[in-house]
Amino acid sequence: MITKQKGTYDVVGMDAKKRKYVCDVIDAICEKYNYTYIETPIFESSELFHRSVGESSDIVTKETYDFVDRGERNITLRPEGTAGVVRSFIENKMYGNLSEPVKVYYNGPMFRYERPQSGRNRQFTQFGIEVIGTDDVMSDAEVISLAYNTYKLLGIDVKVQLNSLGDNESRDNYRKALMEYFKPNIDSLCEDCKVRLEKNPLRILDCKVDANSDILKNAPKTIDYLNEDSLNRFNKLQEYLDLMEIDYEVNTNLVRGLDYYNHTVFEIVADIPDFGSQSVLGGGGRYNGLIEQLDGPSTPAIGFAMGLDRTILAMESLDVKFKVRENIDIFIMYGNLDEKETACYLIQDLRMNGFVCETDYMGKSFKNQFKSADRFNSKFLVILNSDDIKNYKVKVKDNETKEEELVSINDLVDYLDMKL
Ligand code: AMP
């Protein structure tokens, strides 16, 4: 038997319904915030991720799915969504007429070669948003608010962990301070951190291995290295978040895993006992330098991404109700082939008039069709009988009150509309 690959999963049955519900909530909230759906390819040139996510990030050094295709191109399955969106922004010259920022959202599979465990897979789904073309602090607040409110609508209480890396000058000063601080202590850090010290010392603060060491806890704080402009910006952001009544706390150790962030960085954390590192449901930040880094015109931008799988696990562990459809409207029952033809015509008509309908495809007896209708939790039954059909009528039964009525086929849609 051929089985699925390690770190991948099928989404079937109730899991699929739950996922669909979460996606519907996402679509609805993005609509409210006036974000447009975007799709970019699942594979891109490897160079895109090397130049955006960063050569020193764990994602690029250890986690990408890379291959050479039949045309000798170096290809990578996308490990995250921002790089593809930015590539598309540049390639489609969306910067041409930026009278408004470009506001887009995506929802699709990402690939990272990680050690699979609960809430961590090799193929997983991320929902993300990007706002490209404005440096306005209120757009940082909007992105955080969309992320925060998505969880609220899904019924998960979350807190926003917030930090600022500042502008380039602040970030450089902080980087130098970290290098000086970590150099004498480097022997007590893990092998990866030794490499990070030279390439990107900020990433040491993100290390999963050394996370609880005192050296990390006592490291210099970003906030002490923000220049005046950056600090003002950070304070303004907090004012906006207060106005929007968003539950956040400043965490000066938060730097985020990717190399391209500046100013605002944030993570969305759920308060779930025993959920460990999985409680980080999503995160994002500002990446003003990335578009230029990918040969586009200098354009400020900010984004956010959350894992669908982990969000659904969080909802399940909090016993949150998934609003999935539990009924159908109508089950059409028939006994012989002539009645089946009427069923074939009626089901088409009713579905095109907006009703959720089902019928029998297994040649079941009436008794077993009643059982099917109950399994589907059908609100109404349309019971076909040759004599009624000759008079252009059908029997409609309310499956709850058990009341029956003979209804003209011509009036059926109006009748069911009224009843449902
Ligand atoms: P990142 O792009 O690493 O900031 O991740 C953003 C969110 O995507 C995380 O908070 C998770 O919810 C989700 N995520 C990242 N990596 C994985 C993975 N390997 N499996 C499942 N979800 C993931």
Side-chain angles (χ1 to χ4, degrees):
M1 188 180 64
I2 300 170
T3 56
K4 64 183 179 304
Q5 292 297 304
K6 197 173 166 185
T8 67
Y9 50 85
D10 302 311
V11 185
V12 296
M14 186 45 86
D15 287 344
K17 287 190 180 185
K18 288 177 174 177
R19 183 175 283 252
K20 168 87 175 47
Y21 164 64
V22 172
C23 290
D24 287 347
V25 170
I26 286 169
D27 286 338
I29 192 161
C30 287
E31 185 73 16
K32 296 243 158 56
Y33 279 72
N34 197 28
Y35 283 63
T36 313
Y37 180 67
I38 187 171
E39 266 183 35
T40 62
I42 281 168
F43 62 89
E44 300 264 6
S45 73
S46 303
E47 191 191 349
L48 175 67
F49 302 108
H50 285 251
R51 281 173 58 188
S52 58
V53 177
E55 302 277 4
S56 71
S57 65
D58 273 1
I59 293 181
V60 164
T61 51
K62 300 185 205 151
E63 295 171 3
T64 48
Y65 274 89
D66 304 310
F67 61 96
V68 179
D69 79 0
R70 291 170 199 269
E72 306 281 299
R73 298 172 195 92
N74 290 309
I75 302 286
T76 295
L77 300 185
R78 64 182 185 189
E80 56 96 53
T82 302
V85 171
V86 167
R87 194 238 349 107
S88 167
F89 173 84
I90 298 169
E91 193 169 344
N92 293 303
K93 298 195 171 49
M94 292 188 216
Y95 48 80
N97 180 20
L98 266 189
S99 51
E100 316 287 348
V102 170
K103 305 206 308 187
V104 289
Y105 78 100
Y106 57 83
N107 189 357
M110 307 294 161
F111 304 83
R112 294 184 197 171
Y113 194 84
E114 296 198 78
R115 200 163 57 80
Q117 50 195 289
S118 171
R120 190 169 290 283
N121 289 295
R122 291 185 172 172
Q123 175 172 340
F124 58 99
T125 304
Q126 267 188 351
F127 152 58
I129 62 174
E130 313 293 346
V131 178
I132 309 179
T134 177
D135 193 32
D136 191 304
V137 191
M138 202 164 78
S139 69
D140 299 40
E142 174 177 294
V143 167
I144 294 172
S145 134
L146 193 157
Y148 180 80
N149 284 334
T150 303
Y151 291 105
K152 244 184 147 171
L153 286 178
L154 289 172
I156 312 175
D157 275 335
V158 291
K159 201 173 200 108
V160 179
Q161 299 270 324
L162 183 70
N163 196 18
S164 171
L165 304 175
D167 58 11
N168 289 347
E169 182 191 72
S170 309
R171 208 183 136 136
D172 281 351
N173 287 339
Y174 182 54
R175 190 189 150 93
K176 278 184 205 135
L178 280 182
M179 276 185 143
E180 272 166 35
Y181 170 80
F182 281 125
K183 239 179 208 155
N185 297 309
I186 196 63
D187 287 339
S188 50
L189 296 177
C190 75
E191 288 307 310
D192 283 343
C193 280
K194 287 174 187 150
V195 179
R196 288 175 187 137
L197 181 67
E198 293 307 323
K199 287 194 170 166
N200 185 357
L202 267 73
R203 300 219 59 255
I204 297 177
L205 299 174
D206 230 13
C207 178
K208 289 168 196 140
V209 181
D210 292 321
N212 293 319
S213 78
D214 283 342
I215 299 172
L216 254 68
K217 283 184 192 151
N218 298 326
K221 307 274 178 240
T222 43
I223 196 110
D224 297 324
Y225 294 83
L226 296 184
N227 58 21
E228 199 182 337
D229 282 354
S230 300
L231 191 59
N232 287 343
R233 192 180 204 288
F234 192 37
N235 288 335
K236 195 72 205 170
L237 173 61
Q238 291 174 60
E239 271 175 41
Y240 286 141
L241 295 178
D242 288 335
L243 284 168
M244 291 171 143
E245 297 182 347
I246 288 170
D247 189 7
Y248 69 90
E249 85 191 356
V250 173
N251 172 357
T252 53
N253 271 340
L254 181 69
V255 291
R256 306 264 313 133
L258 314 182
D259 282 357
Y260 52 55
Y261 290 115
N262 60 347
H263 287 299
T264 309
V265 283
F266 68 98
E267 281 183 350
I268 305 276
V269 185
D271 182 16
I272 307 175
D274 305 327
F275 222 52
S277 65
Q278 278 190 72
S279 54
V280 181
L281 301 181
R286 183 162 277 286
Y287 52 91
N288 286 352
L290 180 60
I291 292 155
E292 206 175 0
Q293 203 172 303
L294 291 174
D295 300 330
S298 170
T299 316
I302 179 163
F304 157 79
M306 76 176 213
L308 243 62
D309 321 86
R310 217 175 272 184
T311 299
I312 291 169
L313 280 176
M315 290 168 75
E316 286 172 342
S317 84
L318 290 168
D319 250 338
V320 170
K321 180 153 176 50
F322 289 81
K323 292 181 194 137
V324 298
R325 184 166 56 70
E326 285 164 350
N327 298 85
I328 64 168
D329 295 327
I330 301 149
F331 190 93
I332 301 182
M333 299 167 58
Y334 58 87
N336 60 39
L337 285 179
D338 286 343
E339 293 161 13
K340 189 172 185 177
E341 282 182 12
T342 308
C344 180
Y345 152 77
L346 276 184
I347 199 160
Q348 164 86 345
D349 192 38
L350 291 172
R351 282 175 175 157
M352 292 311 284
N353 274 284
F355 299 103
V356 182
C357 298
E358 192 48 281
T359 188
D360 175 50
Y361 297 96
M362 308 297 273
K364 284 192 183 122
S365 66
F366 259 108
K367 190 175 154 209
N368 284 335
Q369 289 186 55
F370 275 113
K371 283 189 187 158
S372 294
D374 286 342
R375 269 197 298 277
F376 288 119
N377 248 328
S378 188
K379 292 182 213 154
F380 280 84
L381 310 177
V382 169
I383 305 164
L384 303 183
N385 162 301
S386 297
D387 290 338
D388 295 338
I389 293 170
K390 271 187 206 129
N391 296 322
Y392 222 61
K393 297 219 156 105
V394 292
K395 199 187 285 167
V396 180
K397 180 171 177 178
D398 182 324
N399 208 17
E400 198 183 335
T401 63
K402 306 295 177 200
E403 277 168 25
E404 289 183 4
E405 252 184 273
L406 215 50
V407 180
S408 152
I409 289 182
N410 284 336
D411 298 337
L412 186 60
V413 167
D414 289 344
Y415 175 85
L416 288 166
D417 246 344
M418 186 185 67
K419 290 282 183 182
L420 284 158

